[in-house]
Amino acid sequence: MTSVGTADASPGTVDTGRLEVGETRDGSTFGLPVAVVEGARDGKTLYIQAASDGDELNGVGVVRRVVPRIDPDELAGTVIVVGVVNYHAFQVAEHRNPIDDTKMNRAYPGDENGTSSERIAAATYDVARNADLVLDLHQGSTSRMIDEVRVRCGRRHRLHTQCLDLAKTFGCGYVLDQKGPDGQLARVAPSDGVPAVDPELGGAVGWDEGSIAKGVEGVFNVLRGYDFLSGDPGIEAQTRAKAFDQYGSPVGGLVRFHHDLGDRVSADEALFEVTDVFGELKARITADNDGIFWRSRRLPQVATGEYVCSVGKTVDTY
């Protein structure tokens, strides 16, 4: 039997419940929604979480579709899912936890006696660190972004190869292989010996059915590739970028892009133009390096210095 919060699943069953992590401002308790799928046969444990950033909803869409499709009688091992991590931010559709103005995916491994975000991080990490694999489902928030998987442990990390393999098995087509900031789950878990990645499922505020479908497929690729379920995961070569060039606007105005997401770009090639509201050209920005048009702002209006787009660089295939 596996128990997480109030969810208790014996072999061949599924149970849902709540992982209690504190109280709201009126003194009532709150808990994170959790599901446990306990396979009929022994095997590894996969931990999945979504919405650690409260406005990144595509991961919740993935969870909603994945859990009902896993048949515990066909499963070897255990799948544990926390469907909404950033409880307070999710309630108000904000990115950061409004209780302490913290980005949850900078708070790991957490502190059970700390701030609101640190307590939630500690409660979820206590589950994740005991798994064999971790998938932390994200998306590009308010930006438009390709579907990708991020390997955040750093290329010199002892688990780097395992994390790259996990990203390839998930199989979005694109991988960002760049060491992440302190406090990211996908950076912290490998340091405790657990391969972890964060799939970034599109962007521009979720609910995007195409990105959700890719996420569902990716989870089942992992379930098949790591022998939780029988079947072929269909592993394919991935396009990998090892860094970003990020571009802001030197002027204010309206952006017109020269590329779509996923396009190859060459150094000195135009990325975007900025015009005034009457269409007069004010600036044309070119690429610093060869790469892939990876991410862009959703709205056309920009102020001086405001973020516009990113190009993935140092690109290869593995």
Side-chain angles (χ1 to χ4, degrees), residues 109-122:
D111 179 351
E112 63 181 8
N113 297 309
T115 65
S116 173
S117 294
E118 288 171 339
R119 289 170 186 251
I120 294 171

PDB file of all heavy atoms in Angstrom, residues 109-122:
ATOM      1  N   PRO A 109      14.526  22.628  -1.736  1.00  0.00           N
ATOM      2  CA  PRO A 109      13.703  21.536  -1.208  1.00  0.00           C
ATOM      3  C   PRO A 109      12.675  21.953  -0.171  1.00  0.00           C
ATOM      4  O   PRO A 109      11.964  21.112   0.366  1.00  0.00           O
ATOM      5  CB  PRO A 109      14.738  20.602  -0.580  1.00  0.00           C
ATOM      6  CG  PRO A 109      15.814  21.524  -0.121  1.00  0.00           C
ATOM      7  CD  PRO A 109      15.897  22.598  -1.179  1.00  0.00           C
ATOM      8  N   GLY A 110      12.597  23.230   0.149  1.00  0.00           N
ATOM      9  CA  GLY A 110      11.592  23.711   1.070  1.00  0.00           C
ATOM     10  C   GLY A 110      12.015  23.660   2.522  1.00  0.00           C
ATOM     11  O   GLY A 110      13.135  23.266   2.862  1.00  0.00           O
ATOM     12  N   ASP A 111      11.076  24.084   3.383  1.00  0.00           N
ATOM     13  CA  ASP A 111      11.316  24.122   4.820  1.00  0.00           C
ATOM     14  C   ASP A 111       9.957  23.934   5.490  1.00  0.00           C
ATOM     15  O   ASP A 111       9.067  24.768   5.334  1.00  0.00           O
ATOM     16  CB  ASP A 111      11.939  25.459   5.213  1.00  0.00           C
ATOM     17  CG  ASP A 111      12.214  25.591   6.707  1.00  0.00           C
ATOM     18  OD1 ASP A 111      11.774  24.721   7.481  1.00  0.00           O
ATOM     19  OD2 ASP A 111      12.860  26.586   7.087  1.00  0.00           O
ATOM     20  N   GLU A 112       9.803  22.866   6.231  1.00  0.00           N
ATOM     21  CA  GLU A 112       8.507  22.560   6.838  1.00  0.00           C
ATOM     22  C   GLU A 112       8.092  23.588   7.893  1.00  0.00           C
ATOM     23  O   GLU A 112       6.930  23.655   8.279  1.00  0.00           O
ATOM     24  CB  GLU A 112       8.506  21.172   7.448  1.00  0.00           C
ATOM     25  CG  GLU A 112       9.480  20.981   8.591  1.00  0.00           C
ATOM     26  CD  GLU A 112       9.450  19.573   9.153  1.00  0.00           C
ATOM     27  OE1 GLU A 112       8.787  18.696   8.563  1.00  0.00           O
ATOM     28  OE2 GLU A 112      10.102  19.347  10.203  1.00  0.00           O
ATOM     29  N   ASN A 113       9.036  24.426   8.333  1.00  0.00           N
ATOM     30  CA  ASN A 113       8.729  25.473   9.308  1.00  0.00           C
ATOM     31  C   ASN A 113       8.889  26.872   8.719  1.00  0.00           C
ATOM     32  O   ASN A 113       8.950  27.859   9.452  1.00  0.00           O
ATOM     33  CB  ASN A 113       9.647  25.329  10.534  1.00  0.00           C
ATOM     34  CG  ASN A 113       9.436  24.018  11.254  1.00  0.00           C
ATOM     35  OD1 ASN A 113       8.304  23.659  11.573  1.00  0.00           O
ATOM     36  ND2 ASN A 113      10.525  23.306  11.500  1.00  0.00           N
ATOM     37  N   GLY A 114       8.953  26.949   7.383  1.00  0.00           N
ATOM     38  CA  GLY A 114       9.245  28.209   6.722  1.00  0.00           C
ATOM     39  C   GLY A 114       8.011  28.960   6.255  1.00  0.00           C
ATOM     40  O   GLY A 114       6.928  28.865   6.837  1.00  0.00           O
ATOM     41  N   THR A 115       8.187  29.691   5.155  1.00  0.00           N
ATOM     42  CA  THR A 115       7.094  30.457   4.571  1.00  0.00           C
ATOM     43  C   THR A 115       6.069  29.514   3.943  1.00  0.00           C
ATOM     44  O   THR A 115       6.270  28.297   3.865  1.00  0.00           O
ATOM     45  CB  THR A 115       7.628  31.396   3.480  1.00  0.00           C
ATOM     46  OG1 THR A 115       8.158  30.595   2.404  1.00  0.00           O
ATOM     47  CG2 THR A 115       8.723  32.311   4.015  1.00  0.00           C
ATOM     48  N   SER A 116       4.979  30.092   3.472  1.00  0.00           N
ATOM     49  CA  SER A 116       3.937  29.292   2.824  1.00  0.00           C
ATOM     50  C   SER A 116       4.509  28.457   1.687  1.00  0.00           C
ATOM     51  O   SER A 116       4.287  27.245   1.606  1.00  0.00           O
ATOM     52  CB  SER A 116       2.824  30.206   2.302  1.00  0.00           C
ATOM     53  OG  SER A 116       1.889  29.489   1.529  1.00  0.00           O
ATOM     54  N   SER A 117       5.282  29.090   0.798  1.00  0.00           N
ATOM     55  CA  SER A 117       5.844  28.368  -0.343  1.00  0.00           C
ATOM     56  C   SER A 117       6.856  27.325   0.104  1.00  0.00           C
ATOM     57  O   SER A 117       6.897  26.213  -0.446  1.00  0.00           O
ATOM     58  CB  SER A 117       6.507  29.346  -1.322  1.00  0.00           C
ATOM     59  OG  SER A 117       5.540  30.190  -1.919  1.00  0.00           O
ATOM     60  N   GLU A 118       7.664  27.651   1.090  1.00  0.00           N
ATOM     61  CA  GLU A 118       8.653  26.690   1.577  1.00  0.00           C
ATOM     62  C   GLU A 118       7.989  25.469   2.200  1.00  0.00           C
ATOM     63  O   GLU A 118       8.469  24.345   2.057  1.00  0.00           O
ATOM     64  CB  GLU A 118       9.573  27.366   2.584  1.00  0.00           C
ATOM     65  CG  GLU A 118      10.537  28.360   1.956  1.00  0.00           C
ATOM     66  CD  GLU A 118      11.289  29.175   2.971  1.00  0.00           C
ATOM     67  OE1 GLU A 118      10.824  29.295   4.128  1.00  0.00           O
ATOM     68  OE2 GLU A 118      12.367  29.707   2.624  1.00  0.00           O
ATOM     69  N   ARG A 119       6.868  25.672   2.881  1.00  0.00           N
ATOM     70  CA  ARG A 119       6.150  24.551   3.492  1.00  0.00           C
ATOM     71  C   ARG A 119       5.537  23.647   2.421  1.00  0.00           C
ATOM     72  O   ARG A 119       5.578  22.421   2.535  1.00  0.00           O
ATOM     73  CB  ARG A 119       5.073  25.066   4.441  1.00  0.00           C
ATOM     74  CG  ARG A 119       5.635  25.688   5.721  1.00  0.00           C
ATOM     75  CD  ARG A 119       4.551  26.399   6.512  1.00  0.00           C
ATOM     76  NE  ARG A 119       5.112  27.108   7.656  1.00  0.00           N
ATOM     77  CZ  ARG A 119       4.957  26.761   8.944  1.00  0.00           C
ATOM     78  NH1 ARG A 119       4.230  25.696   9.245  1.00  0.00           N
ATOM     79  NH2 ARG A 119       5.501  27.472   9.906  1.00  0.00           N
ATOM     80  N   ILE A 120       4.953  24.263   1.386  1.00  0.00           N
ATOM     81  CA  ILE A 120       4.386  23.464   0.298  1.00  0.00           C
ATOM     82  C   ILE A 120       5.492  22.707  -0.427  1.00  0.00           C
ATOM     83  O   ILE A 120       5.358  21.520  -0.742  1.00  0.00           O
ATOM     84  CB  ILE A 120       3.592  24.358  -0.681  1.00  0.00           C
ATOM     85  CG1 ILE A 120       2.352  24.935   0.014  1.00  0.00           C
ATOM     86  CG2 ILE A 120       3.189  23.579  -1.930  1.00  0.00           C
ATOM     87  CD1 ILE A 120       1.626  25.989  -0.803  1.00  0.00           C
ATOM     88  N   ALA A 121       6.612  23.394  -0.680  1.00  0.00           N
ATOM     89  CA  ALA A 121       7.740  22.734  -1.346  1.00  0.00           C
ATOM     90  C   ALA A 121       8.247  21.570  -0.507  1.00  0.00           C
ATOM     91  O   ALA A 121       8.548  20.486  -1.035  1.00  0.00           O
ATOM     92  CB  ALA A 121       8.859  23.739  -1.609  1.00  0.00           C
ATOM     93  N   ALA A 122       8.349  21.764   0.799  1.00  0.00           N
ATOM     94  CA  ALA A 122       8.845  20.696   1.668  1.00  0.00           C
ATOM     95  C   ALA A 122       7.910  19.498   1.653  1.00  0.00           C
ATOM     96  O   ALA A 122       8.356  18.344   1.602  1.00  0.00           O
ATOM     97  CB  ALA A 122       9.013  21.223   3.097  1.00  0.00           C
TER      98      ALA A 122
END
